[in-house]
Amino acid sequence: VRHCCHDRGLMLPLLCTIATMATMPDPRTYAQSTTQNTNMATMPDPALERCSSCFFPTEFHDAPLVAVKQYNHDTKIFTFGLPPGVSLDLPVCSCILVKGANADGEPAIRPYTPTSSNEQKDSFDLMVKVYEQGVVSQWLNSRQIGAMVGFKHILFNIKAQYPFEGKKKINMLCGGTGITPMYQALHKIVNTPGDSLEVVLLYGNKTVKDILLRDELEKAVKMSAGRIKVVHVLSDKTNIPISGWDGEVGWVDEEKVKKYCFPPAEDVLTFVCGVPPLYDVMCGPRTEPEVKQGSVLANLGYTKMMIS
């Protein structure tokens, strides 16, 4: 899912453990309102252009911030209001654009993939890692409940669409909040009756406390029939060995991708989402349609038709 963009970050070494995963729980359990919002959500002008079923048009439309909850030491869940009974109705896989501002008040735009599903009505949730030097994440973090924030949804942000026609096996390579588009796809996969896709998710973080949606993944793992596997990846070696953590130490490299992922084939699709260095190492910049020569996926024989 090569549309993902975040404020900053580093390439991750890895410590791996394998699990399996099935039904994705609803992340709304994190969204708890801290105060009553003062602005109401409104429907966009029906005359505005739309590129999909998404609530938001291709021009920015404001939605009120209705709740904020601390998720972990550097990540928060921001909940935004929608009109009563209305769903975000975002296609899988795709994201929305958030309009923030830099320190000088100049517009700054970033894509985010909601962690809430389309079954959620009246609101949607964004999981945001608040980086110290993050432009939009810091801007969002400074908003008060009731503040209006602009969103839009454009064609460029619509990527490979479920059910991923012609594909039987999915590789997912991500780090940090790059888990959010993967979660979006996994939620759809495991909650669709008759779906038979097999998935391997390699998910990188610095430490155990940095893992996002871990509880959801672990609960789902217990219900899995083995169709979907999760490989957690940790880069901080200072606390290794970690009690109860059975895995490998090293970098996310060709050896590890070859070991855990489905090999290149016409029925295999590989999603990538994370910070720019992750893209560069794995397949090349997300803005480039061709697979970068010398990248991990190119060296292993994956073609552009096998990467999203």
Side-chain angles (χ1 to χ4, degrees), residues 290-301:
E290 300 297 327
V291 184
K292 177 185 174 182
Q293 292 301 308
S295 66
V296 167
L297 296 182
N299 290 345
L300 291 176

Side-chain angles (χ1 to χ4, degrees), residues 46-248:
L48 292 175
E49 179 188 47
R50 280 181 166 77
C51 63
S52 77
S53 59
C54 181
F55 170 81
F56 291 110
T58 57
E59 296 180 24
F60 282 109
H61 179 77
D62 286 347
L65 177 64
V66 298
V68 179
K69 183 174 181 180
Q70 193 76 38
Y71 181 87
N72 66 10
H73 63 102
D74 66 356
T75 302
K76 294 184 178 182
I77 301 290
F78 293 81
T79 300
F80 296 90
L82 295 173
V86 173
S87 164
L88 183 60
D89 204 12
L90 190 64
V92 178
C93 298
S94 63
C95 66
I96 54 178
L97 296 177
V98 178
K99 183 169 72 172
N102 63 19
D104 296 324
E106 299 170 336
I109 299 170
R110 299 288 187 274
Y112 286 93
T113 304
T115 51
S116 50
S117 72
N118 286 332
E119 288 71 40
Q120 181 167 321
K121 308 293 185 181
D122 308 334
S123 65
F124 66 94
D125 304 327
L126 297 184
M127 176 175 281
V128 179
K129 188 176 286 289
V130 183
Y131 295 109
E132 183 178 351
Q133 301 299 322
V135 176
V136 172
S137 63
Q138 286 290 349
W139 182 86
L140 281 172
N141 195 42
S142 68
R143 299 305 92 187
Q144 299 296 314
I145 297 298
M148 302 300 284
V149 177
F151 297 91
K152 71 177 179 179
H153 178 61
I154 61 175
L155 189 61
F156 178 77
N157 297 132
I158 301 176
K159 302 305 179 183
Q161 292 292 282
Y162 181 85
F164 317 121
E165 185 175 354
K167 305 299 182 180
K168 297 180 180 179
K169 299 177 180 179
I170 307 293
N171 296 318
M172 297 181 173
L173 311 175
C174 66
T177 51
I179 189 63
T180 58
M182 309 304 179
Y183 184 92
Q184 180 193 53
L186 289 169
H187 184 277
K188 186 69 173 179
I189 289 170
V190 299
N191 285 287
T192 300
D195 185 284
S196 60
L197 286 168
E198 297 179 59
V199 181
V200 171
L201 166 65
L202 272 68
Y203 176 32
N205 286 282
K206 185 177 180 180
T207 68
V208 171
K209 69 178 182 178
D210 294 303
I211 298 174
L212 304 177
L213 300 173
R214 188 184 183 192
D215 289 344
E216 286 80 359
L217 297 178
E218 289 184 350
K219 289 176 183 177
V221 163
K222 295 176 182 178
M223 301 174 64
S224 173
R227 187 162 58 96
I228 298 175
K229 295 182 179 179
V230 177
V231 180
H232 284 296
V233 178
L234 299 181
S235 64
D236 189 345
K237 301 179 181 180
T238 58
N239 294 317
I240 295 174
I242 300 170
S243 177
W245 192 272
D246 183 19
E248 301 183 20

Side-chain angles (χ1 to χ4, degrees), residues 9-14 235 251-253 275-282 296:
L10 300 172
M11 180 61 185
L12 302 173
L14 72 118
S235 64
W251 292 93
V252 178
D253 54 18
V275 295
L278 178 65
Y279 284 103
D280 192 56
V281 170
M282 287 296 154
V296 167

Side-chain angles (χ1 to χ4, degrees), residues 251-304:
W251 292 93
V252 178
D253 54 18
E254 290 186 31
E255 178 184 357
K256 302 304 186 296
V257 172
K258 185 175 182 180
K259 178 176 181 179
Y260 292 109
C261 291
F262 298 113
E266 292 300 315
D267 64 354
V268 170
L269 184 62
T270 301
F271 293 151
V272 180
C273 189
V275 295
L278 178 65
Y279 284 103
D280 192 56
V281 170
M282 287 296 154
C283 58
R286 60 186 172 274
T287 54
E288 297 296 326
E290 300 297 327
V291 184
K292 177 185 174 182
Q293 292 301 308
S295 66
V296 167
L297 296 182
N299 290 345
L300 291 176
Y302 295 87
T303 66
K304 66 178 182 179

